[in-house]
Amino acid sequence: GLGFASESIHGITEAIIPKPPTNVRAEGVLTRSITVSWTLPEDQTIRPLLCLLVSFILPDGSRAQRKCSARSEGYQISNLMPGQWVKDIQVRSVNANGTSLPSDGDISAVTLAAV
């Protein structure tokens, strides 16, 4: 029979960049590495995440960035020395539309000192 024409819905799949991860934490749990953990953004139904980017400033002052799987909720920064600081740790979400703003907070952590 005759039904109503189905309207196509525009705007829902517009370029919606993802939200950044939340609750980002960093802790020196070993003498040569720092563990970074986070909570994934909740709304991934429209555009699922492709990956996560973890960036940080190494003890020598250089900025590094590592790619993590879209489902990961942590990353280990390794090859450090005892008592070294890693600063400005940020996590971003990436989907097909782009990259999120960086996670909140001025996050730094120090590796454990050698005993």
Side-chain angles (χ1 to χ4, degrees), residues 2-115:
L2 293 174
F4 293 101
S6 60
E7 270 184 47
S8 62
I9 300 172
H10 298 294
I12 291 190
T13 56
E14 281 174 8
I16 300 171
I17 64 166
K19 290 182 168 44
T22 55
N23 302 318
V24 177
R25 301 172 297 289
E27 186 178 10
V29 291
L30 298 166
T31 57
R32 293 180 57 85
S33 65
I34 288 170
T35 300
V36 182
S37 59
W38 56 82
T39 302
L40 292 169
E42 286 181 21
D43 184 23
Q44 297 183 41
T45 50
I46 297 169
R47 285 278 186 264
L49 294 185
L50 300 174
C51 67
L52 295 155
L53 300 174
V54 182
S55 66
F56 44 91
I57 296 175
L58 290 164
D60 67 4
S62 64
R63 178 167 282 284
Q65 181 169 276
R66 303 289 181 265
K67 186 187 277 191
C68 299
S69 111
R71 289 192 175 87
S72 66
E73 294 185 349
Y75 178 76
Q76 188 162 304
I77 302 169
S78 52
N79 298 322
L80 300 167
M81 298 300 291
Q84 282 190 322
W85 281 91
V86 172
K87 299 180 179 175
D88 196 26
I89 300 167
Q90 300 176 335
V91 188
R92 290 174 170 83
S93 306
V94 180
N95 70 10
N97 293 322
T99 303
S100 74
L101 293 171
S103 53
D104 287 335
D106 182 13
I107 298 168
S108 298
V110 63
T111 56
L112 297 183
V115 178

